[in-house]
Amino acid sequence: MGKLIGGLLGFITGGVVLAVVGLVVGYFFDRGLKQAMGFNYAARREQVQQVFFDSTFRIMGHLAKVDGRICEREIDQAEVIFGQLGLSRERRRSAIERFKEGSADSFVLEEEVSSFLQHCATQPLLKQMLIEALLAMAMADGQVDPMEEDVLLRVAGFLGINASEFQRLLRMGRAQQQFHAEQPSPQTAVEDAYAALGVAAEVSNAELKKAYRRLMSEHHPDKLIARGVPEDMVKIATEKSQEIRAAYDLIRQHRGLG
C-alpha cells in the first residue's frame, strides 16, 4: 500500500522520475510498518497466551474447591492434566501457583473472567477453547460433578455462551471422551459419534463432512496458537482432534462411505 500511494503521488506531482522516488519511499514505509506490526502482534499474542494460561488454571483451582475443600481426587485430577500437557518444570510451577490462587477463599470468579475478557473478548474461538479446556479438566476423572457444572455454566454465561450452547459443548465433550483411550461400547458407539460431532443422526453426508471439517479447523494447532492459546495447552485441542477424527471415521464406516 505504501509503494502504491508513494508511486501514484510521485507520478502526479513529478512524472516518472518522482514516481520512482515515491515507490522507494513507499517500500521503506511498508517494510517499517510490517516490522512494527509484526513486533506488536508477537507481543500481543504472548500476552494473550499468558492470560489464557493464568485464567484456565485459576478457574481450575476454583473448580477443585467448589465443594469447600480440595480432596485427593481433585489433586489427582490436576496431576493428570499436568501430565497430559507435558508442562516444563517452570510452567508446571506457574500452573500450580495459579491453581492455588483460584482455590483461595479470596478468589472471585467474575473478576477473573472479566480480566480474561479484557484481552480475549474479540476472539470467540478463545472463549470456546477456555470452556473446552475447563471441561477437559473437569472430566479428567470421567465425570462432571453438578457443582462443577454449575461453575462452568456461570463461566460460560460470563463469556456470552448461552445455556443451550454450553450444554451442546458439554454433550460433545462427554461423547468425545468416549473416543479418547478406548472405543465406546457397541451399543452406544454410533450414537456417541454423532454427539461428538454435534450433529443429529439424520444429518446428510454433506452436512456431516461440513461439521467435521469445521471442528477440525477450530482445533487446528496453528490456528489456536495464532489466536493466543499457549502451545503447551494446544495438546488438549490435539487430543480432541483425534477424538473427533475417530468419531467421524466410525460414522463413515457405519454409513458405508469410502
Side-chain angles (χ1 to χ4, degrees):
M1 184 60 71
K3 293 193 293 289
L4 176 62
I5 295 175
L8 181 60
L9 290 177
F11 181 81
I12 292 174
T13 57
V16 176
V17 175
L18 287 185
V20 173
V21 174
L23 285 171
V24 174
V25 173
Y27 165 76
F28 285 105
F29 175 83
D30 284 341
R31 190 172 70 172
L33 180 62
K34 181 178 180 181
Q35 290 175 346
M37 290 181 66
F39 173 80
N40 290 336
Y41 172 74
R44 168 65 176 165
R45 185 177 67 177
E46 183 177 347
Q47 181 184 43
V48 170
Q49 287 178 334
Q50 189 62 53
V51 169
F52 188 97
F53 182 91
D54 292 345
S55 291
T56 299
F57 284 102
R58 285 190 184 116
I59 299 175
M60 178 185 175
H62 182 67
L63 282 170
K65 189 73 175 297
V66 69
D67 60 354
R69 63 186 182 88
I70 299 179
C71 63
E72 287 298 323
R73 183 177 64 83
E74 277 88 11
I75 295 175
D76 293 341
Q77 196 170 333
E79 289 293 338
V80 168
I81 294 298
F82 294 158
Q84 288 177 345
L85 297 178
L87 299 175
S88 66
R89 181 179 298 179
E90 182 179 350
R91 294 283 277 180
R92 180 186 177 87
R93 186 185 305 114
S94 178
I96 292 174
E97 289 176 358
R98 302 293 88 74
F99 184 93
K100 290 180 178 178
E101 291 170 0
S103 64
D105 293 337
S106 59
F107 178 79
V108 180
L109 181 62
E110 292 84 350
E111 292 181 359
E112 182 62 38
V113 179
S114 177
S115 176
F116 174 84
L117 288 174
Q118 287 179 12
H119 298 85
C120 308
T122 60
Q123 295 283 357
L125 186 57
L126 283 184
K127 299 177 187 179
Q128 179 177 323
M129 287 302 110
L130 175 61
I131 289 295
E132 289 193 8
L134 293 172
L135 280 172
M137 293 174 180
M139 291 188 294
D141 62 348
Q143 63 181 356
V144 179
D145 296 334
M147 286 186 290
E148 291 177 331
E149 183 174 340
D150 180 64
V151 171
L152 291 170
L153 183 58
R154 287 173 58 203
V155 173
F158 296 146
L159 296 176
I161 301 173
N162 61 41
S164 60
E165 176 63 12
F166 169 76
Q167 290 300 327
R168 185 184 73 86
L169 292 173
L170 179 58
R171 288 194 299 271
M172 290 175 64
R174 283 170 169 161
Q176 289 164 4
Q177 191 180 44
Q178 301 301 316
F179 293 85
H180 180 58
E182 301 177 357
Q183 287 293 330
S185 64
Q187 293 81 4
T188 63
V190 176
E191 180 181 343
D192 286 338
Y194 282 113
L197 298 184
V199 297
E202 299 78 20
V203 70
S204 67
N205 291 337
E207 288 299 319
L208 174 67
K209 180 182 289 188
K210 182 178 178 181
Y212 167 71
R213 289 180 172 175
R214 176 179 56 79
L215 288 173
M216 292 300 288
S217 175
E218 289 176 351
H219 295 83
H220 193 283
D222 292 341
K223 184 175 183 178
L224 294 176
I225 291 173
R227 292 294 190 276
V229 176
E231 292 188 26
D232 42 22
M233 299 192 71
V234 167
K235 292 182 180 180
I236 293 178
T238 301
E239 289 187 356
K240 277 192 170 292
S241 295
Q242 296 170 351
E243 296 161 1
I244 292 166
R245 185 178 294 110
Y248 180 65
D249 289 343
L250 180 61
I251 295 175
R252 284 171 55 83
Q253 180 181 0
H254 179 71
R255 292 191 173 196
L257 301 175

